[in-house]
Amino acid sequence: MNATTGRTAAVQHKADLLRSLRLCTAEGIMAMPLVTMSLPVNVFMTALVAKAYPLPKTTIGLICALPFFGNFLQIFAAPFLAKWKPPKTITVLAASLHLVTWAAAGLLLPWVPRDNPTVAGQCFIVWFLLSSCFAAVAGVSWNAWIQEWVPARLRGKYFGRRNGTLQVSTLLFLLIAGWALAQWDYAVPAFQLIIAAAVIMRVFSLRWQWQSPTRARHHAVTVALPLPDQVRVIAGSRSFLLFIAFGAAWSFAANCFGPFYHVFMFEQLDFSAFDVGVLATLAQLGGALSLPAWGKLLDRYGNKSVMIVSLILWQVQNFAWCFLTPANSGLLYAMWVWGGITSAGFILGQFIILLRLIPVEAKNLAIGINLAITSLVAAIAPITGGWLLTHALARWSEPLAVYHVCFILQPVLALAGCVLLRRVHEPQASSLTMVFGAMRNIRTLSGVLGLSFLTNYIFFKAEKKEPAPRP
């Protein structure tokens, strides 16, 4: 009787797992439009603040900083939320509140004055701050929930397929949204229609999340070190601290003027939303197709060396932004393909080396410190960039020249950061197999870099199988 009951339970558990995996893929496809729109820089948001409601550069910089503030603030809320409800409940609740903020924005958009940038900016700041906070909580709790029920043996194969499927969903959204906005000349009803479609799709996504019959797997109980001991462990991890310094430098370099590359294309190169969507699609394809090759190089030559080479190849071509004009803007198509290909190695290596550097004895505290510091720097950067750009444009008569000078900063600072990265000692792989929270800023930053295929990407390090013994 007990054996029969055990077999029945095992069959039911397997059926529930398969259904949960199918629903996880389906809900991801339906979630991608709203998730992508929630990034600090994307076709939709840039068209909204640069075309429909032309806002000052300082306001645009502040809006682009808000998702990073959300990443920072959720660190303080996460411990209390984890004790309050299970990760699945927190995920659905936070994502539902995020959905409500977008639905309200779509309904109220016609009442935002297009002839008063100050009031319009205040409205967008309040809305996007609330949206970003809910998105940050939902993102981290969703990752914790996924880690709770997806078996380690399935993660590599399943998430590889899921990531590819979601990339197709994102590509279609970027192209359709860009085409619709350009076709209707950035009219408010066009933005409302896109928001409505994304909201309706997200409703189905949340419904399937809640219906998913996931079951938490049993984890080994570990005793955490006292907080003072954890602090001492982190303080003694020189390479980890150096990597945090490098991450902060990189975050500032990428975010200072990163959000204004899209504005530059709209204002100075006269690109349409569809043109920018095509560029983002090319970067996605380049990054997605090159990831397997970069993975092999990282395994063979080490993360630090490959990251430096990848970063140099990526950032050197960014100097070409300093020479772009409407006459040679066609170069951007090749540049975005190259950027997608070369950046993938750096970002993948950034995740893997972080797995090796995080002190296992103080994992949660180390992840929190890393995310807090890089989030604050990433939030300050676009505010600084927007302020500098506003003052420079007010004093120089040639806007094109102002952008060209400002665009020197990212590649120079990024390449200078290699000095810090070279000093990092890369140890052997740790026992960690999945670290989600530590990569939260990479997902947020993907919008700034035009690499939205990382928006819902599940970073994992597959466990290597031991070779079978010879007979």
Side-chain angles (χ1 to χ4, degrees), residues 174-191:
L174 291 172
L175 292 175
I176 294 173
W179 175 84
L181 293 173
Q183 191 73 18
W184 281 294
D185 199 23
Y186 311 103
V188 170
F191 289 94

PDB file of all heavy atoms in Angstrom, residues 174-191:
ATOM      1  N   LEU A 174       9.970  44.585 -29.745  1.00  0.00           N
ATOM      2  CA  LEU A 174      10.752  45.759 -30.111  1.00  0.00           C
ATOM      3  C   LEU A 174      10.418  46.240 -31.515  1.00  0.00           C
ATOM      4  O   LEU A 174      10.270  47.444 -31.760  1.00  0.00           O
ATOM      5  CB  LEU A 174      12.245  45.442 -30.007  1.00  0.00           C
ATOM      6  CG  LEU A 174      12.807  45.236 -28.592  1.00  0.00           C
ATOM      7  CD1 LEU A 174      14.239  44.738 -28.664  1.00  0.00           C
ATOM      8  CD2 LEU A 174      12.728  46.525 -27.794  1.00  0.00           C
ATOM      9  N   LEU A 175      10.294  45.304 -32.440  1.00  0.00           N
ATOM     10  CA  LEU A 175       9.999  45.686 -33.820  1.00  0.00           C
ATOM     11  C   LEU A 175       8.580  46.227 -33.963  1.00  0.00           C
ATOM     12  O   LEU A 175       8.352  47.252 -34.609  1.00  0.00           O
ATOM     13  CB  LEU A 175      10.210  44.478 -34.740  1.00  0.00           C
ATOM     14  CG  LEU A 175      11.668  44.013 -34.896  1.00  0.00           C
ATOM     15  CD1 LEU A 175      11.725  42.740 -35.727  1.00  0.00           C
ATOM     16  CD2 LEU A 175      12.512  45.100 -35.548  1.00  0.00           C
ATOM     17  N   ILE A 176       7.608  45.551 -33.362  1.00  0.00           N
ATOM     18  CA  ILE A 176       6.212  45.986 -33.490  1.00  0.00           C
ATOM     19  C   ILE A 176       5.996  47.322 -32.792  1.00  0.00           C
ATOM     20  O   ILE A 176       5.346  48.231 -33.334  1.00  0.00           O
ATOM     21  CB  ILE A 176       5.258  44.909 -32.924  1.00  0.00           C
ATOM     22  CG1 ILE A 176       5.321  43.645 -33.794  1.00  0.00           C
ATOM     23  CG2 ILE A 176       3.830  45.433 -32.860  1.00  0.00           C
ATOM     24  CD1 ILE A 176       4.555  42.469 -33.215  1.00  0.00           C
ATOM     25  N   ALA A 177       6.544  47.475 -31.581  1.00  0.00           N
ATOM     26  CA  ALA A 177       6.387  48.739 -30.856  1.00  0.00           C
ATOM     27  C   ALA A 177       7.055  49.883 -31.602  1.00  0.00           C
ATOM     28  O   ALA A 177       6.477  50.975 -31.728  1.00  0.00           O
ATOM     29  CB  ALA A 177       6.963  48.609 -29.447  1.00  0.00           C
ATOM     30  N   GLY A 178       8.267  49.650 -32.088  1.00  0.00           N
ATOM     31  CA  GLY A 178       8.961  50.696 -32.839  1.00  0.00           C
ATOM     32  C   GLY A 178       8.215  51.093 -34.096  1.00  0.00           C
ATOM     33  O   GLY A 178       8.100  52.279 -34.429  1.00  0.00           O
ATOM     34  N   TRP A 179       7.690  50.096 -34.814  1.00  0.00           N
ATOM     35  CA  TRP A 179       6.929  50.383 -36.039  1.00  0.00           C
ATOM     36  C   TRP A 179       5.657  51.164 -35.723  1.00  0.00           C
ATOM     37  O   TRP A 179       5.328  52.143 -36.410  1.00  0.00           O
ATOM     38  CB  TRP A 179       6.577  49.074 -36.733  1.00  0.00           C
ATOM     39  CG  TRP A 179       5.691  49.273 -37.931  1.00  0.00           C
ATOM     40  CD1 TRP A 179       6.083  49.587 -39.207  1.00  0.00           C
ATOM     41  CD2 TRP A 179       4.254  49.194 -37.956  1.00  0.00           C
ATOM     42  NE1 TRP A 179       4.989  49.711 -40.026  1.00  0.00           N
ATOM     43  CE2 TRP A 179       3.854  49.475 -39.290  1.00  0.00           C
ATOM     44  CE3 TRP A 179       3.297  48.913 -37.011  1.00  0.00           C
ATOM     45  CZ2 TRP A 179       2.516  49.475 -39.667  1.00  0.00           C
ATOM     46  CZ3 TRP A 179       1.953  48.911 -37.376  1.00  0.00           C
ATOM     47  CH2 TRP A 179       1.577  49.181 -38.699  1.00  0.00           C
ATOM     48  N   ALA A 180       4.938  50.759 -34.683  1.00  0.00           N
ATOM     49  CA  ALA A 180       3.678  51.425 -34.334  1.00  0.00           C
ATOM     50  C   ALA A 180       3.912  52.878 -33.934  1.00  0.00           C
ATOM     51  O   ALA A 180       3.176  53.784 -34.357  1.00  0.00           O
ATOM     52  CB  ALA A 180       2.979  50.663 -33.209  1.00  0.00           C
ATOM     53  N   LEU A 181       4.933  53.132 -33.121  1.00  0.00           N
ATOM     54  CA  LEU A 181       5.199  54.497 -32.686  1.00  0.00           C
ATOM     55  C   LEU A 181       5.603  55.390 -33.848  1.00  0.00           C
ATOM     56  O   LEU A 181       5.159  56.537 -33.946  1.00  0.00           O
ATOM     57  CB  LEU A 181       6.295  54.495 -31.617  1.00  0.00           C
ATOM     58  CG  LEU A 181       5.926  53.847 -30.274  1.00  0.00           C
ATOM     59  CD1 LEU A 181       7.134  53.766 -29.365  1.00  0.00           C
ATOM     60  CD2 LEU A 181       4.804  54.638 -29.597  1.00  0.00           C
ATOM     61  N   ALA A 182       6.448  54.867 -34.737  1.00  0.00           N
ATOM     62  CA  ALA A 182       6.867  55.658 -35.898  1.00  0.00           C
ATOM     63  C   ALA A 182       5.710  55.872 -36.865  1.00  0.00           C
ATOM     64  O   ALA A 182       5.562  56.948 -37.454  1.00  0.00           O
ATOM     65  CB  ALA A 182       8.039  54.969 -36.592  1.00  0.00           C
ATOM     66  N   GLN A 183       4.877  54.850 -37.035  1.00  0.00           N
ATOM     67  CA  GLN A 183       3.760  54.931 -37.978  1.00  0.00           C
ATOM     68  C   GLN A 183       2.746  55.987 -37.542  1.00  0.00           C
ATOM     69  O   GLN A 183       2.201  56.707 -38.378  1.00  0.00           O
ATOM     70  CB  GLN A 183       3.087  53.561 -38.074  1.00  0.00           C
ATOM     71  CG  GLN A 183       2.073  53.425 -39.197  1.00  0.00           C
ATOM     72  CD  GLN A 183       2.750  53.351 -40.561  1.00  0.00           C
ATOM     73  OE1 GLN A 183       3.953  53.066 -40.656  1.00  0.00           O
ATOM     74  NE2 GLN A 183       1.999  53.612 -41.627  1.00  0.00           N
ATOM     75  N   TRP A 184       2.469  56.074 -36.232  1.00  0.00           N
ATOM     76  CA  TRP A 184       1.483  57.031 -35.722  1.00  0.00           C
ATOM     77  C   TRP A 184       2.132  58.296 -35.176  1.00  0.00           C
ATOM     78  O   TRP A 184       1.505  59.030 -34.420  1.00  0.00           O
ATOM     79  CB  TRP A 184       0.623  56.367 -34.654  1.00  0.00           C
ATOM     80  CG  TRP A 184      -0.441  55.490 -35.248  1.00  0.00           C
ATOM     81  CD1 TRP A 184      -1.501  55.886 -35.993  1.00  0.00           C
ATOM     82  CD2 TRP A 184      -0.527  54.069 -35.157  1.00  0.00           C
ATOM     83  NE1 TRP A 184      -2.244  54.794 -36.378  1.00  0.00           N
ATOM     84  CE2 TRP A 184      -1.678  53.658 -35.873  1.00  0.00           C
ATOM     85  CE3 TRP A 184       0.241  53.085 -34.538  1.00  0.00           C
ATOM     86  CZ2 TRP A 184      -2.060  52.331 -35.987  1.00  0.00           C
ATOM     87  CZ3 TRP A 184      -0.131  51.757 -34.657  1.00  0.00           C
ATOM     88  CH2 TRP A 184      -1.269  51.400 -35.367  1.00  0.00           C
ATOM     89  N   ASP A 185       3.375  58.536 -35.568  1.00  0.00           N
ATOM     90  CA  ASP A 185       4.067  59.797 -35.264  1.00  0.00           C
ATOM     91  C   ASP A 185       4.067  60.096 -33.763  1.00  0.00           C
ATOM     92  O   ASP A 185       3.862  61.232 -33.340  1.00  0.00           O
ATOM     93  CB  ASP A 185       3.429  60.952 -36.039  1.00  0.00           C
ATOM     94  CG  ASP A 185       4.360  62.164 -36.122  1.00  0.00           C
ATOM     95  OD1 ASP A 185       5.577  61.974 -35.999  1.00  0.00           O
ATOM     96  OD2 ASP A 185       3.836  63.292 -36.284  1.00  0.00           O
ATOM     97  N   TYR A 186       4.290  59.076 -32.937  1.00  0.00           N
ATOM     98  CA  TYR A 186       4.466  59.222 -31.491  1.00  0.00           C
ATOM     99  C   TYR A 186       3.262  59.890 -30.821  1.00  0.00           C
ATOM    100  O   TYR A 186       3.399  60.666 -29.876  1.00  0.00           O
ATOM    101  CB  TYR A 186       5.750  59.995 -31.178  1.00  0.00           C
ATOM    102  CG  TYR A 186       6.937  59.442 -31.932  1.00  0.00           C
ATOM    103  CD1 TYR A 186       7.428  60.099 -33.065  1.00  0.00           C
ATOM    104  CD2 TYR A 186       7.537  58.251 -31.543  1.00  0.00           C
ATOM    105  CE1 TYR A 186       8.501  59.582 -33.773  1.00  0.00           C
ATOM    106  CE2 TYR A 186       8.610  57.728 -32.247  1.00  0.00           C
ATOM    107  CZ  TYR A 186       9.075  58.395 -33.371  1.00  0.00           C
ATOM    108  OH  TYR A 186      10.127  57.879 -34.076  1.00  0.00           O
ATOM    109  N   ALA A 187       2.068  59.588 -31.351  1.00  0.00           N
ATOM    110  CA  ALA A 187       0.843  60.110 -30.752  1.00  0.00           C
ATOM    111  C   ALA A 187       0.569  59.385 -29.435  1.00  0.00           C
ATOM    112  O   ALA A 187       0.909  58.210 -29.264  1.00  0.00           O
ATOM    113  CB  ALA A 187      -0.331  59.946 -31.714  1.00  0.00           C
ATOM    114  N   VAL A 188      -0.077  60.080 -28.512  1.00  0.00           N
ATOM    115  CA  VAL A 188      -0.373  59.492 -27.197  1.00  0.00           C
ATOM    116  C   VAL A 188      -1.198  58.208 -27.312  1.00  0.00           C
ATOM    117  O   VAL A 188      -0.911  57.227 -26.611  1.00  0.00           O
ATOM    118  CB  VAL A 188      -1.080  60.528 -26.296  1.00  0.00           C
ATOM    119  CG1 VAL A 188      -1.610  59.872 -25.021  1.00  0.00           C
ATOM    120  CG2 VAL A 188      -0.125  61.659 -25.950  1.00  0.00           C
ATOM    121  N   PRO A 189      -2.219  58.136 -28.186  1.00  0.00           N
ATOM    122  CA  PRO A 189      -2.965  56.877 -28.311  1.00  0.00           C
ATOM    123  C   PRO A 189      -2.097  55.683 -28.701  1.00  0.00           C
ATOM    124  O   PRO A 189      -2.397  54.551 -28.308  1.00  0.00           O
ATOM    125  CB  PRO A 189      -4.002  57.187 -29.395  1.00  0.00           C
ATOM    126  CG  PRO A 189      -4.207  58.661 -29.301  1.00  0.00           C
ATOM    127  CD  PRO A 189      -2.855  59.212 -28.969  1.00  0.00           C
ATOM    128  N   ALA A 190      -1.017  55.927 -29.456  1.00  0.00           N
ATOM    129  CA  ALA A 190      -0.121  54.823 -29.827  1.00  0.00           C
ATOM    130  C   ALA A 190       0.576  54.264 -28.588  1.00  0.00           C
ATOM    131  O   ALA A 190       0.697  53.043 -28.425  1.00  0.00           O
ATOM    132  CB  ALA A 190       0.909  55.299 -30.845  1.00  0.00           C
ATOM    133  N   PHE A 191       1.020  55.152 -27.700  1.00  0.00           N
ATOM    134  CA  PHE A 191       1.638  54.698 -26.449  1.00  0.00           C
ATOM    135  C   PHE A 191       0.622  53.959 -25.593  1.00  0.00           C
ATOM    136  O   PHE A 191       0.943  52.936 -24.969  1.00  0.00           O
ATOM    137  CB  PHE A 191       2.206  55.893 -25.684  1.00  0.00           C
ATOM    138  CG  PHE A 191       3.434  56.498 -26.308  1.00  0.00           C
ATOM    139  CD1 PHE A 191       3.345  57.571 -27.177  1.00  0.00           C
ATOM    140  CD2 PHE A 191       4.690  55.989 -26.024  1.00  0.00           C
ATOM    141  CE1 PHE A 191       4.480  58.135 -27.748  1.00  0.00           C
ATOM    142  CE2 PHE A 191       5.839  56.533 -26.583  1.00  0.00           C
ATOM    143  CZ  PHE A 191       5.725  57.607 -27.458  1.00  0.00           C
TER     144      PHE A 191
END
